[in-house]
Amino acid sequence: MLKDVPITIPALLAAFLWRIGLTWVLTFCETALIALIPLFIGFAIDGLLTKDTTALFQLVAAMAVLIAISVIRRAYDTRVFGTVRVEVGKAQAARIPDLPVSKLNARLAMGREMVDFLENDLPLVMAALVQLIISIIVLFAFDSVLALAGAGAVVTMLLIYALFHRQFYRLNGHLNQQAERQVGILETRKPQRLLLHLSRLRSVEVRLSDTESILYGAIFVVLLGLVVFNLWYATTSLPITSGTIFSIVSYSWEFVESALALPVTLQGWSRLSEITKRINSAK
């Protein structure tokens, strides 16, 4: 399936299009239902306050469908992406049979990371985008100012991440390069060399963690500011019911949770860019 083509995300998608496509459809349905649950809860609250249980039964039905789709998707995903991992590993081993064992071992693990990105990170960003869009639509339905505040927060967040992309790419390159040496270092049976290797890994991991901490701290400030603003604006400027204020707060917080998935995925893409270049190299 992957013969004579570079091992990249587009190549994997082309080779397993229909199988991966079905997981995306299930992910989309699951995410859309999750995103609509707070709205159903808000309707149910307003309905129960007037002794009307129709919205409550609609909420129960939506949650039942959500559970069924979630179970089916997870069982299917494991089988599909397990097959993709086998094909990627087989293609890697066939292309670079003369590569030192240390590098081949590390690159097989990196190849699995590419599949992990397809299985975990890419559906995560798809789900996040669906939730962001639904959240903005719902907030806009309540008041355009709430939606504009959310859109402004996303733009600010992406600009913040752009400042960190090069740093993530560079540090992941150092981490992967050191990982390729591990088996060879273990084969020497020299404690000092192993200690130096582990210390270097730790140093890069600490720098990656510090960079992540600064990034997420800055993003959290922006997103929590959004929640505070929307709560203040809704309670001081809009004529609302208890169910409506619950929905506004819920969708503002859901917006925050889904927005946080974007930098996680972008960071994964930074690492994946370096991995893709490395595993398609013959050296």
Side-chain angles (χ1 to χ4, degrees):
M1 289 186 177
L2 299 172
K3 186 178 181 181
D4 300 327
V5 296
I7 301 174
T8 62
I9 293 297
L12 295 179
L13 291 176
F16 301 94
L17 180 61
W18 292 108
R19 280 179 275 189
I20 294 177
L22 180 55
T23 72
W24 287 359
V25 170
L26 293 172
T27 298
F28 176 82
C29 293
E30 180 182 353
T31 303
L33 280 171
I34 291 173
L36 289 172
I37 290 298
L39 191 60
F40 281 114
I41 293 175
F43 290 153
I45 291 173
D46 285 341
L48 290 172
L49 289 175
T50 59
K51 309 301 182 182
D52 183 357
T53 59
T54 301
L56 177 63
F57 288 121
Q58 292 174 344
L59 171 64
V60 171
M63 293 182 72
V65 173
L66 173 61
I67 292 170
I69 292 176
S70 299
V71 171
I72 293 170
R73 182 185 69 80
R74 282 161 177 76
Y76 180 69
D77 278 4
T78 301
R79 289 158 175 79
V80 170
F81 290 106
T83 300
V84 178
R85 288 185 183 90
V86 170
E87 292 298 325
V88 169
K90 184 171 68 176
Q92 285 181 270
R95 293 179 187 195
I96 43 178
D98 299 325
L99 197 70
V101 173
S102 181
K103 284 190 175 183
L104 179 59
N105 177 70
R107 291 186 187 182
L108 285 174
M110 293 175 201
R112 293 179 68 86
E113 281 194 48
M114 293 184 69
V115 184
D116 289 343
F117 181 85
L118 283 175
E119 182 178 9
N120 302 317
D121 294 358
L122 204 52
L124 181 65
V125 75
M126 290 171 57
L129 288 173
V130 170
Q131 288 181 315
L132 281 174
I133 291 170
I134 290 177
S135 295
I136 288 178
I137 290 173
V138 172
L139 291 173
F140 186 84
F142 290 122
D143 193 280
S144 60
V145 172
L146 300 174
L148 289 172
V154 169
V155 172
T156 303
M157 179 193 68
L158 293 175
L159 290 174
I160 291 172
Y161 180 81
L163 300 175
F164 289 83
H165 172 73
R166 288 182 179 273
Q167 178 77 347
F168 279 125
Y169 185 92
R170 183 178 62 82
L171 290 174
N172 278 304
H174 291 328
L175 189 65
N176 291 333
Q177 188 174 27
Q178 194 64 36
E180 289 183 346
R181 300 170 180 159
Q182 182 161 294
V183 172
I185 291 171
L186 291 172
E187 288 176 341
T188 66
R189 306 283 182 175
K190 294 180 179 179
Q192 289 301 320
R193 286 197 63 187
L194 177 59
L195 178 61
L196 179 61
H197 165 69
L198 295 175
S199 297
R200 286 174 176 170
L201 283 177
R202 176 186 177 278
S203 176
V204 178
E205 288 167 350
V206 167
R207 281 183 285 165
L208 269 171
S209 178
D210 289 346
T211 305
E212 289 173 3
S213 299
I214 296 170
L215 170 64
Y216 283 97
I219 287 175
F220 255 118
V221 169
V222 173
L223 294 178
L224 292 180
L226 167 68
V227 173
V228 172
F229 172 80
N230 279 2
L231 179 59
W232 169 80
Y233 183 81
T235 54
T236 60
S237 305
L238 301 177
I240 51 178
T241 65
S242 298
T244 301
I245 191 63
F246 173 83
S247 294
I248 289 174
V249 173
S250 295
Y251 276 100
S252 294
W253 184 249
E254 187 172 289
F255 185 96
V256 169
E257 290 181 325
S258 54
L260 284 174
L262 295 181
V264 172
T265 306
L266 291 171
Q267 183 183 339
W269 184 258
S270 296
R271 175 165 175 76
L272 204 64
S273 299
E274 205 284 331
I275 286 176
T276 300
K277 180 180 178 181
R278 188 175 295 270
I279 67 174
N280 285 293
S281 170
K283 298 180 181 180

Coordinates of all heavy atoms in Angstrom, one line a residue, residues 190-231:
K190 N 28.2 0.8 28.6 CA 29.0 1.7 29.3 C 28.1 2.7 30.1 O 27.4 3.5 29.5 CB 29.9 2.6 28.4 CG 31.0 1.7 27.7 CD 31.8 2.6 26.8 CE 32.9 1.7 26.1 NZ 33.7 2.6 25.2
P191 N 28.1 2.6 31.4 CA 27.2 3.4 32.3 C 27.3 4.9 32.1 O 26.3 5.6 32.1 CB 27.6 3.0 33.7 CG 28.2 1.6 33.6 CD 28.9 1.6 32.2
Q192 N 28.5 5.3 31.8 CA 28.7 6.8 31.7 C 28.1 7.3 30.4 O 27.5 8.4 30.4 CB 30.2 7.1 31.7 CG 30.9 6.9 33.1 CD 30.2 7.8 34.1 OE1 29.9 9.0 33.9 NE2 30.1 7.3 35.3
R193 N 28.2 6.5 29.3 CA 27.6 7.0 28.1 C 26.1 6.9 28.2 O 25.4 7.8 27.7 CB 28.0 6.0 26.9 CG 29.4 6.2 26.5 CD 29.6 5.6 25.1 NE 28.8 6.3 24.1 CZ 28.7 5.8 22.8 NH1 29.4 4.7 22.5 NH2 27.9 6.4 22.0
L194 N 25.5 5.9 28.9 CA 24.1 5.8 29.1 C 23.6 7.0 30.0 O 22.6 7.6 29.7 CB 23.7 4.5 29.8 CG 22.2 4.3 30.1 CD1 21.4 4.4 28.8 CD2 22.0 3.0 30.8
L195 N 24.3 7.3 31.0 CA 24.0 8.4 31.9 C 24.0 9.7 31.1 O 23.0 10.6 31.2 CB 24.9 8.5 33.1 CG 24.7 9.7 34.0 CD1 23.3 9.6 34.6 CD2 25.8 9.7 35.1
L196 N 25.0 10.0 30.2 CA 25.0 11.2 29.4 C 23.9 11.2 28.5 O 23.2 12.3 28.3 CB 26.4 11.2 28.7 CG 26.6 12.4 27.8 CD1 26.6 13.7 28.6 CD2 27.9 12.3 27.0
H197 N 23.5 10.1 27.9 CA 22.4 10.0 26.9 C 21.1 10.4 27.6 O 20.3 11.2 27.1 CB 22.3 8.6 26.3 CG 21.0 8.3 25.7 ND1 20.6 8.9 24.5 CD2 20.0 7.4 26.0 CE1 19.4 8.4 24.1 NE2 19.0 7.5 25.1
L198 N 20.8 9.8 28.8 CA 19.6 10.0 29.5 C 19.5 11.5 30.0 O 18.5 12.1 30.0 CB 19.5 9.1 30.7 CG 19.4 7.6 30.4 CD1 19.4 6.7 31.6 CD2 18.1 7.3 29.6
S199 N 20.7 12.0 30.4 CA 20.7 13.4 30.8 C 20.4 14.4 29.7 O 19.7 15.4 29.8 CB 22.1 13.8 31.4 OG 22.4 13.0 32.5
R200 N 20.9 14.0 28.5 CA 20.6 14.9 27.3 C 19.1 14.8 27.0 O 18.4 15.8 26.6 CB 21.4 14.4 26.1 CG 22.9 14.9 26.2 CD 23.7 14.3 25.1 NE 25.1 14.8 25.2 CZ 26.1 14.3 24.4 NH1 25.9 13.3 23.5 NH2 27.3 14.8 24.5
L201 N 18.5 13.6 27.0 CA 17.1 13.4 26.8 C 16.3 14.3 27.8 O 15.3 15.0 27.4 CB 16.6 12.0 26.9 CG 17.0 11.0 25.8 CD1 16.5 9.6 26.1 CD2 16.3 11.5 24.5
R202 N 16.7 14.2 29.1 CA 16.0 15.0 30.1 C 16.1 16.5 29.8 O 15.1 17.2 30.0 CB 16.6 14.6 31.5 CG 16.0 15.5 32.6 CD 16.7 15.2 33.9 NE 16.2 16.1 35.0 CZ 16.5 17.3 35.2 NH1 17.4 17.9 34.4 NH2 15.9 18.0 36.2
S203 N 17.2 16.9 29.4 CA 17.4 18.3 29.2 C 16.5 18.9 28.1 O 15.9 19.9 28.2 CB 18.9 18.6 28.7 OG 19.1 20.0 28.4
V204 N 16.4 18.1 27.0 CA 15.5 18.5 25.9 C 14.0 18.4 26.3 O 13.2 19.3 26.0 CB 15.7 17.6 24.6 CG1 14.7 18.0 23.5 CG2 17.1 17.7 24.1
E205 N 13.7 17.4 27.1 CA 12.3 17.3 27.5 C 11.9 18.4 28.5 O 10.8 18.9 28.4 CB 12.1 15.9 28.2 CG 12.1 14.7 27.2 CD 12.3 13.4 27.9 OE1 12.6 13.4 29.1 OE2 12.1 12.4 27.2
V206 N 12.9 18.8 29.3 CA 12.6 19.9 30.2 C 12.4 21.2 29.4 O 11.4 22.0 29.7 CB 13.8 20.1 31.2 CG1 13.7 21.5 31.9 CG2 13.8 19.0 32.2
R207 N 13.2 21.4 28.4 CA 13.0 22.7 27.6 C 11.7 22.6 26.8 O 11.0 23.7 26.7 CB 14.2 22.8 26.6 CG 15.5 23.4 27.3 CD 16.6 23.6 26.3 NE 17.2 22.3 25.9 CZ 18.0 22.2 24.8 NH1 18.2 23.2 24.0 NH2 18.5 21.0 24.5
L208 N 11.3 21.4 26.3 CA 10.0 21.3 25.7 C 8.9 21.6 26.7 O 7.9 22.3 26.4 CB 9.8 19.9 25.1 CG 10.3 19.6 23.7 CD1 10.2 18.1 23.4 CD2 9.4 20.4 22.7
S209 N 9.0 21.1 27.9 CA 8.0 21.3 28.9 C 7.9 22.8 29.3 O 6.8 23.3 29.4 CB 8.3 20.4 30.1 OG 7.3 20.7 31.1
D210 N 9.0 23.4 29.4 CA 9.0 24.8 29.8 C 8.3 25.7 28.7 O 7.6 26.6 29.0 CB 10.4 25.3 30.0 CG 11.0 24.8 31.3 OD1 10.3 24.2 32.1 OD2 12.3 24.9 31.4
T211 N 8.6 25.3 27.4 CA 8.0 26.0 26.3 C 6.5 25.8 26.3 O 5.7 26.8 26.1 CB 8.6 25.6 25.0 OG1 10.0 25.7 25.0 CG2 8.1 26.4 23.8
E212 N 6.1 24.6 26.5 CA 4.6 24.3 26.6 C 4.0 25.1 27.7 O 2.9 25.6 27.6 CB 4.4 22.8 26.8 CG 4.8 21.9 25.6 CD 4.7 20.4 26.0 OE1 4.3 20.1 27.1 OE2 5.0 19.6 25.1
S213 N 4.6 25.1 28.9 CA 4.1 25.8 30.0 C 3.8 27.3 29.7 O 2.8 27.8 30.1 CB 5.0 25.7 31.2 OG 5.1 24.3 31.6
I214 N 4.8 27.9 29.1 CA 4.7 29.4 28.8 C 3.5 29.6 27.8 O 2.7 30.5 27.9 CB 6.0 29.9 28.2 CG1 7.1 29.9 29.3 CG2 5.8 31.3 27.8 CD1 8.5 30.2 28.8
L215 N 3.5 28.7 26.8 CA 2.5 28.8 25.7 C 1.1 28.6 26.3 O 0.2 29.4 26.1 CB 2.7 27.7 24.7 CG 1.6 27.5 23.6 CD1 1.4 28.7 22.8 CD2 1.9 26.3 22.8
Y216 N 0.9 27.6 27.1 CA -0.5 27.3 27.7 C -0.9 28.3 28.7 O -2.0 28.7 28.9 CB -0.6 25.9 28.2 CG -0.7 24.9 27.1 CD1 0.4 24.2 26.6 CD2 -1.9 24.7 26.5 CE1 0.3 23.3 25.6 CE2 -2.1 23.8 25.5 CZ -1.0 23.1 25.0 OH -1.1 22.2 24.0
G217 N 0.1 28.9 29.4 CA -0.2 29.9 30.4 C -0.8 31.1 29.6 O -1.8 31.7 30.1
A218 N -0.1 31.5 28.5 CA -0.6 32.7 27.8 C -2.0 32.4 27.2 O -2.9 33.3 27.2 CB 0.4 33.0 26.7
I219 N -2.2 31.2 26.6 CA -3.5 30.9 26.0 C -4.6 30.8 27.0 O -5.7 31.3 26.8 CB -3.3 29.5 25.2 CG1 -2.5 29.8 24.0 CG2 -4.7 29.0 24.9 CD1 -2.2 28.5 23.2
F220 N -4.3 30.2 28.2 CA -5.3 30.2 29.3 C -5.8 31.6 29.7 O -7.0 31.8 30.0 CB -4.8 29.4 30.5 CG -5.3 28.0 30.6 CD1 -4.5 26.9 30.6 CD2 -6.7 27.8 30.8 CE1 -5.0 25.7 30.7 CE2 -7.2 26.6 30.9 CZ -6.4 25.5 30.9
V221 N -4.9 32.5 29.8 CA -5.2 33.9 30.2 C -6.3 34.4 29.2 O -7.3 35.0 29.6 CB -4.0 34.8 30.2 CG1 -4.4 36.3 30.3 CG2 -3.1 34.4 31.4
V222 N -6.0 34.2 27.9 CA -6.9 34.7 26.8 C -8.3 34.0 26.9 O -9.3 34.7 26.9 CB -6.3 34.5 25.4 CG1 -7.3 34.8 24.3 CG2 -5.1 35.3 25.3
L223 N -8.3 32.7 27.1 CA -9.6 32.0 27.1 C -10.4 32.2 28.3 O -11.6 32.2 28.3 CB -9.3 30.5 26.8 CG -8.7 30.2 25.4 CD1 -8.4 28.7 25.3 CD2 -9.6 30.6 24.3
L224 N -9.7 32.2 29.5 CA -10.5 32.5 30.7 C -11.0 33.9 30.7 O -12.1 34.2 31.3 CB -9.6 32.2 31.9 CG -9.2 30.7 32.1 CD1 -8.3 30.6 33.4 CD2 -10.4 29.9 32.3
G225 N -10.3 34.8 30.1 CA -10.8 36.2 29.9 C -12.1 36.2 29.1 O -13.0 36.9 29.4
L226 N -12.1 35.3 28.1 CA -13.4 35.1 27.3 C -14.6 34.7 28.2 O -15.6 35.3 28.1 CB -13.1 34.1 26.2 CG -14.4 33.7 25.5 CD1 -15.0 34.8 24.7 CD2 -14.1 32.5 24.6
V227 N -14.3 33.7 29.0 CA -15.4 33.2 29.9 C -15.9 34.3 30.8 O -17.1 34.5 31.0 CB -15.0 32.0 30.7 CG1 -16.0 31.6 31.7 CG2 -14.6 30.8 29.8
V228 N -15.0 35.0 31.4 CA -15.4 36.1 32.4 C -16.2 37.2 31.6 O -17.2 37.7 32.1 CB -14.1 36.7 33.1 CG1 -14.5 37.9 33.9 CG2 -13.5 35.6 34.0
F229 N -15.7 37.5 30.5 CA -16.3 38.6 29.7 C -17.8 38.2 29.3 O -18.7 39.0 29.5 CB -15.6 39.0 28.4 CG -16.3 39.9 27.5 CD1 -16.3 41.3 27.8 CD2 -17.0 39.4 26.4 CE1 -17.0 42.1 26.9 CE2 -17.7 40.3 25.6 CZ -17.7 41.6 25.8
N230 N -17.9 36.9 28.8 CA -19.2 36.5 28.3 C -20.2 36.4 29.5 O -21.4 36.7 29.4 CB -19.1 35.1 27.6 CG -18.7 35.3 26.2 OD1 -18.4 36.4 25.7 ND2 -18.6 34.2 25.4
L231 N -19.7 35.9 30.7 CA -20.6 35.8 31.8 C -21.0 37.2 32.3 O -22.2 37.5 32.6 CB -19.8 35.1 33.0 CG -20.6 35.0 34.3 CD1 -21.9 34.2 34.1 CD2 -19.7 34.3 35.3

